[in-house]
Amino acid sequence: MSTPVKAPKPGPQAAKAQPARPKAPKPAPPIGASAAPVLTGAQALVRALEELEVEAVFGIPGGAILPAYDPLLDSQQVRHVLVRHEQGAGHAAQGYALATGKVGVCMATSGPGATNLVTPLADAHMDSVPIVAITGQVASSAIGTDAFQEADIVGITMPITKHSYLVRDGEDIPRVLAEAFHVAASGRPGPVLVDIPKDILAGTAPFVWPPKMDLPGYRPTTQPHGKQIREAAALIAEAKRPVLYVGGGVVKSGAHAELLALAELTGAPVVTTLMARGAFPDSHPQHLGMPGMHGTVPAVHALQKSDLLVALGARFDDRVTGKLATFAPEAKVVHVDIDPAEIGKNREADVPIVGDCKAAIAAMIEAYEDGGKERLKTWWETLDDLRGRYPLGYTDIDDGLPAPQYVIERLGQLAPDDTIWTTGVGQHQMWASQFVKYEKPGTFLNSGGLGTMGFAVPAAMGAKLGQMDRTVWAIDGDGCFQMTNQELATCAVEGIPIKVAVINNGNLGMVRQWQTLFYEQRYSNTNLSTHHSEGSPRVPDFVKLAEALGCVGLRADTVAEVDDVIKQANAIDDRPVVVDFTVGPDAMVWPMVPAGVSNDEILYARDVRPNFDDEGQI
């Protein structure tokens, strides 16, 4: 789309006073041509969504946004999904965007409707998810008067969006929507908010499509600088202990094929962060797993002892680096990111490369001159030894209940090919990242940066709507599940048959783990009462709750029942399914780097610490 051209400044003659002239009437359009149609702001909004090829909007009507819902009823293209809470609308838009690669759309009314979108907007901002949130606002004349259901949602969301708009004129609606979608999807993806006062939705204005976008300061850099690419390629060819440190930017740019080619060309080990699971196949021999707080020992060791980190679409998050001052002390850094603000933010880059990961990795492959893989022999011997001695695993706790890790492992093994997985946040999220195998990008959707409990169910709903021919499993905890499970009613009514595995340990599991390790087993306010015990019922009973919400409810209380209920759930395609897996409260996520300490202090299991010595051996 073109941008408007500014008129040249008037010359000296133009500054002279001119006699007033009567305004000429606008010429009539030529015969056979049609003038721009005059639409209400609400009609213009829906028409713009149709022109932008939007397939689904997740939302709830209310007073200020109500005018938009009337023309939406007549749209043959845009499907509206009536969610039960605006937070669900936002997370569903995220799930849709992550599963399809398109921009997700959510809609809410003013005041509390809009503020309920703050959490998903912040989540999308942290994890670079392209969504557009459309909110109603009180009438223009009432803005600033503390009118009923008024909130300055543009001001509230400014720090957590790529951009926020307040529409002041109905004629601007097509342009603002076109710009919002462009900004959300281009460069580093992210959320954009469009706030429209009720009188603008009700008023009329000409509708012009395509509009001219006016974004003079927005110029994302996608093509990397050739000199920096050559420097990076030379460092990789010389390094004796390189690591490809892969973040979510590789998934966002669709660079998984280029990543595979670079890894196999260079022979370097690969680690994939929580947001990059699936960007590199788990089954590939060069993959060391996930780094960071709950990463594998080989992945954490590789980063700590590397002499070159090639960070691709990663941001040196504290959950990966541990104590930043002690992170990878001997490593030079090549940092590729489309967002220049990320480069040098946490760790200085020796070779900073601003650009799209797909383009940058392809250019590195072109520039790479093989220095011979023999130089990596000792490095791989060390890493392979660690893989043999410190594999991912777990120890059954003798409590008569299935181990949560076993349940999740069996879910992964019995699921159909091409299944999409979503999770909430906590122990089950980490186990899902460890014990389900991911071979393709876009198959593991979770809340990474913000760590939002309640993400799994609505995100699964959005993902399923975008990929109706694929199985979508939400792995959730009993704490997370109770935050957004009302969206199961939406799924049941709208015909969106997701599957939910509730890993029910009766507690806020990750908090309990920290209380066990760091608070002398003082379990303050972590028991959720979702386990049946003598004399007390399950509160709530997730099977009955699922049935009340229009879903099939199943339960597994023993190891012998696990496979059977998973197979039953996989066979049901016409309704949502919830499986309550009763597991013990004492299982923990290992390995673990306690917060605020060096990655050198990683615990492989409780009281088992592999010490990284100066020679890079354990």
Side-chain angles (χ1 to χ4, degrees):
M1 297 181 182
S2 59
T3 55
V5 178
K6 293 183 179 179
K9 293 182 179 179
Q13 298 301 319
K16 294 181 179 178
Q18 299 291 327
R21 297 181 185 176
K23 290 185 178 179
K26 292 182 179 179
I31 295 174
S34 58
V38 175
L39 305 179
T40 65
Q43 291 170 331
L45 170 63
V46 174
R47 177 78 171 271
L49 292 174
E50 292 173 338
E51 294 287 353
L52 290 161
E53 301 182 351
V54 171
E55 298 169 331
V57 173
F58 303 90
I60 302 180
I65 196 67
L66 194 57
Y69 273 80
D70 187 62
L72 189 59
L73 185 65
D74 299 323
S75 178
Q76 299 299 306
Q77 177 184 319
V78 181
R79 175 180 178 178
H80 182 271
V81 176
L82 178 60
V83 298
R84 275 30 180 189
H85 191 284
E86 290 89 356
Q87 182 181 353
H91 292 320
Q94 288 182 272
Y96 177 89
L98 290 166
T100 65
K102 302 174 183 177
V103 175
V105 184
C106 53
M107 190 180 292
T109 197
S110 63
T115 58
N116 280 341
L117 289 176
V118 168
T119 294
L121 285 170
D123 194 284
H125 186 62
M126 290 284 276
D127 288 348
S128 306
V129 182
I131 65 171
V132 170
I134 300 162
T135 53
Q137 183 55 275
V138 299
S140 301
S141 59
I143 291 176
T145 68
D146 292 331
F148 176 67
Q149 290 193 333
E150 181 187 0
D152 178 12
I153 197 63
V154 169
I156 290 168
T157 61
M158 202 168 287
I160 56 169
T161 56
K162 283 188 74 175
H163 193 58
S164 294
Y165 290 91
L166 174 61
V167 178
R168 293 287 194 175
D169 190 316
E171 198 168 351
D172 293 335
I173 288 176
R175 174 185 60 81
V176 168
L177 264 292
E179 289 178 6
F181 275 69
H182 174 69
V183 170
S186 59
R188 178 180 183 172
V192 177
L193 179 124
V194 178
D195 196 34
I196 312 176
K198 187 172 184 177
D199 58 306
I200 302 300
L201 288 170
T204 59
F207 180 87
V208 177
W209 197 274
K212 293 179 179 179
M213 293 195 296
D214 187 15
L215 297 167
Y218 183 66
R219 295 285 187 273
T221 300
T222 57
Q223 294 304 313
H225 194 284
K227 180 176 180 292
Q228 292 162 317
I229 289 290
R230 291 189 294 273
E231 289 179 6
L235 285 178
I236 298 172
E238 296 167 1
K240 294 181 179 178
R241 300 190 306 279
V243 180
L244 301 183
Y245 160 34
V246 178
V250 169
V251 177
K252 298 291 185 294
S253 67
H256 48 284
E258 288 78 6
L259 171 64
L260 180 63
L262 179 66
E264 293 184 340
L265 177 66
T266 62
V270 178
V271 301
T272 52
T273 66
L274 187 67
M275 302 310 298
R277 301 292 288 112
F280 193 77
D282 277 355
S283 60
H284 197 285
Q286 287 172 241
H287 191 230
L288 300 180
M290 187 175 73
M293 176 174 276
H294 293 294
T296 68
V297 170
V300 173
H301 175 271
L303 291 181
Q304 281 301 97
K305 297 302 179 180
S306 65
D307 61 3
L308 178 67
L309 291 181
V310 183
L312 304 170
R315 58 188 180 87
F316 292 87
D317 176 69
D318 62 282
R319 283 303 193 258
V320 170
T321 66
K323 186 177 180 181
L324 189 61
T326 65
F327 177 67
E330 300 171 13
K332 291 184 177 180
V333 173
V334 172
H335 194 175
V336 179
D337 204 290
I338 200 164
D339 184 355
E342 288 296 347
I343 296 178
K345 184 179 80 175
N346 293 330
R347 173 68 177 258
E348 184 179 352
D350 297 275
V351 181
I353 300 175
V354 178
D356 178 75
C357 278
K358 189 178 182 76
I361 297 172
M364 277 191 227
I365 292 169
E366 187 70 25
Y368 183 73
E369 295 181 8
D370 196 350
K373 295 178 184 175
E374 186 65 23
R375 74 189 190 285
L376 304 181
K377 184 173 182 294
T378 302
W379 185 222
W380 270 113
E381 286 174 352
T382 299
L383 299 176
D384 285 337
D385 178 60
L386 291 177
R387 283 203 282 206
R389 287 194 286 139
Y390 298 98
L392 273 177
Y394 57 92
T395 302
D396 277 325
I397 295 172
D398 187 16
D399 55 12
L401 296 170
Q405 301 96 322
Y406 172 77
V407 170
I408 291 171
E409 190 171 51
R410 294 304 291 156
L411 281 165
Q413 290 167 347
L414 294 172
D417 290 341
D418 225 21
T419 293
I420 296 173
W421 304 86
T422 70
T423 73
V425 169
Q427 287 181 316
H428 68 278
Q429 176 192 27
M430 294 299 103
W431 288 322
S433 74
Q434 292 176 336
F435 294 104
V436 176
K437 301 305 178 187
Y438 303 101
E439 299 295 313
K440 298 177 184 177
T443 52
F444 181 55
L445 317 181
N446 73 115
S447 171
L450 196 63
T452 303
M453 293 178 68
F455 179 86
V457 170
M461 176 173 67
K464 181 65 175 177
L465 188 67
Q467 300 280 1
M468 288 296 284
D469 59 336
R470 294 171 67 178
T471 298
V472 178
W473 267 105
I475 297 178
D476 221 352
D478 46 322
C480 289
F481 181 65
Q482 293 187 78
M483 292 193 173
T484 53
N485 63 38
Q486 70 276 352
E487 299 311 332
L488 286 170
T490 309
C491 291
V493 171
E494 296 281 345
I496 306 173
I498 66 170
K499 306 180 195 301
V500 182
V502 182
I503 309 302
N504 181 4
N505 66 359
N507 283 265
L508 297 171
M510 189 62 86
V511 181
R512 180 185 168 92
Q513 176 168 334
W514 281 50
Q515 288 173 334
T516 299
L517 296 174
F518 310 120
Y519 291 87
E520 300 177 343
Q521 301 181 43
R522 289 166 54 83
Y523 299 121
S524 173
N525 293 283
T526 46
N527 187 334
L528 292 168
S529 301
T530 51
H531 263 204
H532 175 74
S533 58
E534 190 173 347
S536 63
R538 302 173 190 263
V539 182
D541 183 318
F542 290 138
V543 172
K544 291 179 180 178
L545 179 63
E547 291 170 350
L549 291 170
C551 308
V552 176
L554 304 170
R555 175 174 290 125
D557 288 321
T558 66
V559 172
E561 294 170 331
V562 169
D563 279 19
D564 182 53
V565 297
I566 294 173
K567 290 173 183 177
Q568 287 183 57
N570 281 331
I572 298 169
D573 290 323
D574 60 340
R575 286 172 291 169
V577 185
V578 176
V579 185
D580 179 9
F581 291 99
T582 307
V583 300
D586 294 317
M588 294 194 191
V589 183
W590 302 110
M592 180 181 184
V593 179
V597 306
S598 169
N599 282 348
D600 293 327
E601 304 296 317
I602 187 171
L603 292 165
Y604 176 63
R606 194 169 185 179
D607 303 322
V608 179
R609 185 165 72 86
N611 294 308
F612 298 167
D613 66 24
D614 293 337
E615 285 72 42
Q617 302 295 322
I618 288 185

